Amino acid sequence: MTHTSPTGVLGVDDLLSDISASGGETATVIAPFTGQPLIDLPQSTAQDVADAAAAARVAQVVWFAAGPAHRRRVLLRGHDLLLERRTQLLDFNQLETGKSRSQAFEEVVQAANSARYAALVAPRVLRSRRRGGVLPVVTRSRVDFVPKGIVGVVTPWNFPVSLAAMDVLPALAAGNGVVQKADNQASLSVLALRRAFIDAGVPAALWAVVAGPGDVVGNAIVDASDYVCFTGSTATGIRVAERAASGLHGVSLELGGKNPMIVLDDADVAKAAAGAAYGSFSALGQLCVSMERIYVERGIADEFTTEFVAAVKGLSQGPDLDFDIDLGSLTSAAQLERVEAHVADAVAKGATVLAGGRARPDLGPFFYEPTVLTGVTSEMACFADETFGPLVSIHVVDNEKSAIDQANASEYGLNASVFSRSLSRARRVARKLQAGTVNLNEPYRAAFGSVDSPMGGMKKSGLGRRNGREGIVRFTDTRTIGEATVLFQMPRTGSEFRKLVPVVLALLRILRVFRLR
């Protein structure tokens, strides 16, 4: 079929030619707003992945040798091009994922922040540092940070721009090459992001993009890489980790979540309700850090529930490429089926629908109303399993301890939220929650959007961290260079050790007294 750009900025065929794919196979990608074919996407083979990784290894040597100042300049130019081309990125993002314009814009902002942060912070974080030696004046050491080499990045369909930027750009800033598997459903968004940085000066071979089945292309990326970033389901993440471990390759995994919000009895009810509505239904719930469980203290439960349901019913929904609509569509038939199954199961077992609870085929094939349930119990599928859609349940609790205990009663620990007028109380509760990120008086953006702070999961929600200094250092190995000084010769024979025993013991005691490292 003939492909044309939805915005006229850059031709779709031109972008699709950037995929490393040689076999001629394609997959049809459906536009969620209409259910009609959007593009025929070239599919890569395992050999394509191997060839891309080999080319990236050659490019990586030159890229690292160019130095941190060069990498900083290139990434900052990419940041600027990203903002200049934002309209096309927003269009592609919406057309591929079905989300609203506002949530697509969040992705562009997050990608720009990640680019700027990686460019400016990586040179400082990764500079060679002096460390202590065995004993003062005897030895000294320095620690260098060496890039892993090739980083494999497997990104999902739901937040393709921001999640790609949060993994790929720090990897490049640290001097690595990247082979990225773009999900078929979000390939144009990834390719448009990549093209901005290629045009800014990143060598094309350094950041390769492949597409295709996970059991072929995904496995090949794990095998060809020195470090792997994966975002997706817990079940698949475990398989990625196992395969990477067989080659002694490191991984960072952002996996599933069943994220809780706690509304304490001193919360501003109106603000908490508005926050819950946004945090539960951003990207129509197809967001790893969105809320799926709300625990509200009994004293304000009725008032909160009334405000929350009203806020949810006031959200506008539709297939609009502008900022006039609050919510978009689910991304696929599979997502719609899962949401419908969870709602039907809960209602059949006694749950009550306070808002939503039905598909909207009049808006498009995968639209589903934002849905609020009460009376959800442990035998219902949506009680503990991640829905990853527009479904949230309200649970009334007697006190703060009960809220914390129930919030923690999950195999997941990705994100959480606490609403209270007292920040000291909210912080106290936050420190008792088993989650990698906790937001106070905000559902997810305070932590997820902070590129200077690490983000990741506890328990079955993942391993490792993206963002922050931790998100840069993960792409390096440390190399320690120890030096013997010319001021003191370390003993080598028994007689030399005998003479130095009292001196060394005295020095160790002095170091202990003065708390010297």
Side-chain angles (χ1 to χ4, degrees), residues 346-367:
V347 171
K349 294 174 181 176
T352 300
V353 177
L354 299 183
R358 64 191 181 106
R360 291 294 304 274
D362 54 310
L363 298 177
F366 309 138
F367 280 85

Side-chain angles (χ1 to χ4, degrees), residues 60 64 71 145-150 171 174-177 226 475-477:
Q60 184 270 330
F64 179 60
R71 294 194 290 275
F145 294 89
V146 183
K148 292 284 188 180
I150 297 300
N176 294 281
D226 304 302
F475 296 120
T476 65
D477 288 317

Side-chain angles (χ1 to χ4, degrees), residues 305-442:
T305 301
T306 299
E307 289 270 3
F308 179 49
V309 170
V312 171
K313 289 182 176 180
L315 295 171
S316 59
Q317 189 173 18
D320 197 304
L321 296 183
D322 206 341
F323 290 97
D324 296 330
I325 298 296
D326 298 318
L327 302 176
S329 167
L330 290 165
T331 304
S332 67
Q335 289 299 109
L336 177 62
E337 290 168 7
R338 182 173 179 84
V339 174
E340 288 181 321
H342 272 204
V343 173
D345 172 75
V347 171
K349 294 174 181 176
T352 300
V353 177
L354 299 183
R358 64 191 181 106
R360 291 294 304 274
D362 54 310
L363 298 177
F366 309 138
F367 280 85
Y368 197 93
E369 290 183 340
T371 301
V372 181
L373 299 181
T374 59
V376 170
T377 56
S378 59
E379 67 269 16
M380 301 174 188
C382 69
F383 179 82
D385 294 343
E386 183 178 29
T387 302
F388 213 65
L391 176 61
V392 66
S393 56
I394 298 176
H395 305 263
V396 179
V397 296
D398 291 326
N399 50 52
E400 177 184 302
K401 182 180 184 303
S402 179
I404 295 168
D405 290 344
Q406 292 187 54
N408 287 337
S410 171
E411 65 180 359
Y412 299 112
L414 186 58
N415 182 50
S417 175
V418 181
F419 275 76
S420 171
R421 280 190 171 93
S422 169
L423 279 177
S424 61
R425 185 185 182 194
R427 289 176 186 137
R428 185 181 71 246
V429 171
R431 292 188 177 99
K432 296 178 181 179
L433 294 176
Q434 298 165 359
T437 56
V438 183
N439 297 263
L440 308 185
N441 296 319
E442 227 293 317

Side-chain angles (χ1 to χ4, degrees), residues 56 59-60 63-68 70-72 74-75 78 114-115 118-119 122-123 126 147-151 153 164-180 193-194 196-198 200-208 229 471-472 474-476:
Q60 184 270 330
W63 175 248
F64 179 60
H70 173 73
R71 294 194 290 275
R72 180 178 63 241
V74 170
L75 291 178
S114 297
L126 302 180
K148 292 284 188 180
I150 297 300
V151 174
V153 177
M166 291 159 73
D167 286 337
V168 172
L169 301 182
L172 295 178
N176 294 281
V178 171
V179 179
Q180 179 185 4
L193 171 72
R194 173 187 177 273
F197 287 89
I198 299 306
V202 171
L206 188 73
W207 179 358
C229 300
I472 296 173
R474 62 178 165 153
F475 296 120
T476 65

Side-chain angles (χ1 to χ4, degrees), residues 154 214 230-242 253 255:
V154 180
F230 172 81
T231 303
S233 71
T234 295
T236 304
I238 290 171
R239 293 197 294 272
V240 169
E242 290 172 343
L253 310 170
L255 308 176

